[in-house]
Amino acid sequence: MGSIPECLKVHRLTITLYIRLSKGVHPSALIGALATALLLFLALEGGGGGEGWGRGSAFVHLGAFATHFGTQIWMTFFSGIVLFFGLPRKAFGAVQRLLFPVYFALNTGLGLLSLLTLPPDATHAQRFNLSLLIVCDILGSSVIVPAMVRTLGARGRLEGDRELEPKERAHLLRTSKEYAQQHAVFRRLHGACALVNLLAMACNAARLYHLAGRMVAT
């Protein structure tokens, strides 16, 4: 999965950082980060005093929410667009195969932290909103993205190491039934991935609107 085709060697310096960072983020690292956040939460909560939404809960909740929403904005509107227009098609695919699993796994963990640290007076609508967000991220992390990565790899193997021109890809679509099938499956999975990502982002936008209302009310 991490190998770079021969035709992409000139772009190695451009994508090395993305690949190394993605390879370095193991699920155990995410678990460790979440455990650290929970320990910090417990430490701060112990000194908060009183009942209700303590300082530790607020700290972890706002930190998880801000990191989650910021990651979504960066990945969707900046990183993805810049890489799409700045890298060859195969290089872009190689980077995305490594980034997408980490992206959705991180978002799932941050969403769970946000839900677990909701204030006691949170409404059913707020809890449903964050639950829907987590469902979207779990679907992306455990169902859609793994299938999309496999399909992207299979399609890339059929294309070979050389960067194909648009006319060559169109010819391959017409002449290779297997390639056409892999391409169609990838498009459906990519659309589903975009849908759950945008829906999760909308949930975070709704959460931001609610938090802004709390700030105005205080």
Side-chain angles (χ1 to χ4, degrees):
M1 181 180 296
S3 61
I4 302 175
E6 186 70 24
C7 66
L8 303 180
K9 286 186 176 180
V10 294
H11 303 280
R12 188 181 297 272
L13 290 177
T14 309
I15 64 176
T16 293
L17 180 60
Y18 286 97
I19 291 178
R20 288 186 177 178
L21 285 175
S22 299
K23 284 183 176 179
V25 181
H26 192 270
S28 61
L30 295 178
I31 294 173
L34 292 177
T36 301
L38 287 174
L39 288 174
L40 182 59
F41 156 67
L42 292 174
L44 291 174
E45 196 71 11
E51 298 180 353
W53 206 27
R55 183 183 302 172
S57 298
F59 180 87
V60 174
H61 182 83
L62 293 175
F65 162 74
T67 305
H68 193 177
F69 198 31
T71 301
Q72 289 174 323
I73 296 295
W74 171 256
M75 187 74 169
T76 304
F77 298 112
F78 293 92
S79 175
I81 294 175
V82 170
L83 291 174
F84 179 78
F85 288 105
L87 291 177
R89 182 169 167 271
K90 278 187 172 294
F92 177 71
V95 172
Q96 296 301 78
R97 285 202 304 271
L98 295 169
L99 283 182
F100 267 49
V102 176
Y103 170 69
F104 276 96
L106 175 63
N107 285 352
T108 301
L110 292 172
L112 285 170
L113 271 181
S114 294
L115 181 62
L116 291 173
T117 54
L118 272 174
D121 61 348
T123 64
H124 290 299
Q126 296 168 40
R127 297 183 187 278
F128 175 80
N129 178 62
L130 285 183
S131 298
L132 177 60
L133 179 149
I134 294 169
V135 168
C136 290
D137 284 334
I138 289 177
L139 279 175
S141 178
S142 61
V143 179
I144 300 173
V145 168
M148 188 175 72
V149 168
R150 289 193 300 269
T151 304
L152 187 59
R155 191 183 69 171
R157 286 190 293 272
L158 292 172
E159 292 178 351
D161 290 340
R162 188 170 60 86
E163 185 76 28
L164 299 182
E165 297 293 333
K167 290 183 178 180
E168 293 176 306
R169 291 199 302 272
H171 176 74
L172 196 57
L173 281 171
R174 292 193 302 269
T175 58
S176 173
K177 183 178 180 180
E178 182 181 2
Y179 182 80
Q181 289 176 341
Q182 294 290 347
H183 182 72
V185 171
F186 171 75
R187 287 176 65 89
R188 289 196 296 270
L189 290 171
H190 190 270
C193 184
L195 179 63
V196 296
N197 183 60
L198 290 175
L199 184 55
M201 194 183 306
C203 291
N204 263 337
R207 182 63 185 157
L208 177 61
Y209 183 81
H210 174 77
L211 290 173
R214 286 181 67 111
M215 292 179 66
V216 172
T218 55

